[in-house]
């Protein structure tokens, strides 16, 4: 719906941020042109000479390979688009492109919760579940840009509903904001237990965590279930990546300790480690909505 833009100083400091609407008409053909024009308009407004611009970084909601080529971005209507090359031609600046969840992880790794870590796994719990893996300061993009798709880790063989990706039983179906609500509604339908959630029309994941905080026993069970499923998935990721820390971002991470404490217990229980110190701490993100533009920059 919107393209978040940021002007950064050479040291990575955010000077100004703004947004422009995403024009998805005509299969998103105008998007890169709109971005280039917005960049040049901002330089004019700030009287910044083009010679002082080092380049443009961009995060895109789809798989991006190391050459900056996007391989299908459904939300924008794009097929295979050489984003870095096209935006370089349009803007006249060097361009680096990455996946949006990956650049958000970069943002947290650079100046957020992972600032002092070399290797960070960031998991974003929003409408879906996104993730980015930073190893030794570099994003793990994978062979064709699809590394770190942790939202589609398979966690349930018995799921009947399909995930957005077409598979059944992906992590995203239980641990995203929408997944938590879906699971709570299912558990409510299967139980006659009293819960304050029954009095709320179309409750949100925040309502579930708030109810649990206020002592609602049923909501506590939902939170427990979410943390069991998510914790097991994080433990699997940790067994493969062995990160220094795990950062949880996105709207659901506002639950803070009520999410990270049970997750930490679960991850401790299910992660291989040579010693107790080797289990990565689970922290909440610090850059908020700015993680993406910071990481892209
Ligand atoms: Zn999926």
């Amino acid at each position: 719906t919107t393209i978040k833009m940021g002007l950064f100083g050479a040291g990575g400091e955010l000077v100004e941020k703004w947004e422009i609407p995403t024009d998805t008409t005509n299969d998103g053909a105008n998007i890169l042109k709109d971005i280039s024009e917005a960049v040049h308009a901002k330089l004019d407004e700030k009287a910044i000479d083009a010679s002082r611009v080092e380049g443009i970084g961009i995060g895109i909601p789809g798989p991006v390979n190391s050459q900056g080529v996007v391989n299908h971005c459904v939300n924008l209507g794009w097929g295979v688009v050489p984003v870095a090359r096209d935006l370089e031609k349009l803007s006249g600046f060097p361009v680096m492109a990455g996946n949006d969840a990956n650049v958000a992880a970069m943002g947290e790794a650079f100046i957020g919760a992972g600032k002092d870590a070399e290797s960070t796994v960031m998991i974003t719990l929003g409408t879906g579940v996104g993730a980015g893996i930073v190893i030794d300061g570099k994003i793990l993009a994978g062979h064709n840009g699809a590394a770190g798709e942790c939202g589609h880790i398979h966690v349930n063989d018995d799921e009947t509903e399909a995930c957005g990706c077409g598979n059944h039983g992906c992590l995203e179906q239980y641990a995203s904001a929408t997944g938590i609500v879906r699971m709570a509604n299912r558990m409510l339908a299967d139980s006659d237990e009293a819960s304050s959630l029954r009095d709320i029309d179309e409750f949100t994941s925040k309502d579930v965590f708030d109810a649990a905080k206020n002592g609602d026993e049923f909501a506590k069970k939902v939170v427990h279930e979410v943390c069991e499923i998510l914790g097991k998935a994080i433990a699997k990721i940790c067994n493969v990546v062995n990160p220094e820390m795990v950062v949880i971002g996105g709207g659901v991470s506002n639950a803070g300790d009520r999410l990270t404490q049970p997750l930490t217990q679960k991850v401790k229980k299910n992660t291989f480690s040579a010693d107790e110190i080797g289990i990565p701490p689970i922290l909440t993100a610090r850059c908020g909505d700015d993680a993406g533009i910071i990481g892209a920059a």
Side-chain angles (χ1 to χ4, degrees):
T1 52
T2 59
I3 299 163
K4 298 186 197 322
M5 316 244 329
L7 175 66
F8 287 82
E13 65 281 10
L14 178 57
V15 177
E16 194 170 313
K17 60 175 176 174
W18 71 103
E19 290 180 6
I20 62 170
T22 311
D23 177 5
T24 52
T25 61
N26 200 11
D27 287 336
N30 299 320
I31 293 173
L32 293 178
K33 187 170 71 62
D34 291 346
I35 292 172
S36 175
E37 283 171 4
V39 167
H40 282 281
K42 184 58 70 181
L43 295 179
D44 289 347
E45 179 197 318
K46 296 275 172 194
I48 297 169
D49 193 83
S51 65
R52 289 176 59 202
V53 178
E54 284 195 47
I56 299 174
I58 180 170
I60 298 138
V64 183
N65 74 10
S66 56
Q67 274 76 49
V69 179
V70 176
N71 190 355
H72 286 87
C73 180
V74 191
N75 296 343
L76 303 182
W78 288 357
V80 175
V81 179
V83 171
R85 197 196 67 192
D86 288 359
L87 189 55
E88 272 177 16
K89 273 191 195 158
L90 287 162
S91 67
F93 301 123
V95 175
M96 296 200 76
N99 166 266
D100 60 350
N102 285 356
V103 299
M106 278 301 241
E108 283 294 337
F110 277 141
I111 66 163
K115 189 163 69 79
D116 300 318
E118 289 288 300
S119 301
T120 307
V121 169
M122 178 169 174
I123 297 174
T124 304
L125 308 176
T127 315
V129 172
I133 299 170
V134 178
I135 297 176
D136 299 332
K138 285 185 178 165
I139 267 292
L140 180 74
H143 169 59
N144 57 13
E149 285 295 339
C150 301
H152 302 287
I153 290 177
H154 182 78
V155 295
N156 182 6
D157 281 339
D158 300 324
E159 180 60 57
T160 51
E161 283 176 42
C163 173
C165 74
N167 286 335
H168 295 75
C170 295
L171 177 63
E172 182 165 294
Q173 292 183 279
Y174 312 94
S176 63
T178 34
I180 292 167
V181 170
R182 195 184 70 109
M183 195 159 72
N185 273 316
R186 271 188 176 178
M187 288 169 71
L188 279 172
D190 287 345
S191 144
D192 40 26
E193 202 176 324
S195 170
S196 57
L197 293 174
R198 292 191 193 275
D199 304 329
I200 310 172
D201 262 0
E202 308 215 342
F203 56 83
T204 63
S205 61
K206 181 177 183 297
D207 292 328
V208 174
F209 281 98
D210 285 348
K213 183 186 168 191
N214 295 332
D216 186 299
E217 290 300 325
F218 179 84
K220 282 185 192 173
K221 281 182 198 163
V222 178
V223 170
H224 175 78
E225 194 59 26
V226 170
C227 291
E228 283 286 305
I229 295 170
L230 181 58
K232 270 190 219 170
I234 292 174
K236 286 173 186 164
I237 298 164
C238 289
N239 279 352
V240 176
V241 177
N242 187 215
E244 209 170 325
M245 61 178 60
V246 176
V247 180
I248 310 282
V252 177
S253 71
N254 292 330
D257 289 353
R258 276 168 292 140
L259 183 69
T260 54
Q261 274 180 2
L263 279 180
T264 301
Q265 293 312 314
K266 190 71 195 165
V267 169
K268 256 189 187 165
K269 197 173 154 207
N270 292 123
T271 303
F272 172 83
S273 175
D275 54 47
E276 192 60 2
I277 304 157
I279 303 295
I282 298 179
L283 311 169
T284 49
R286 287 191 203 146
C287 297
D289 280 348
D290 294 340
I293 55 172
I294 293 166

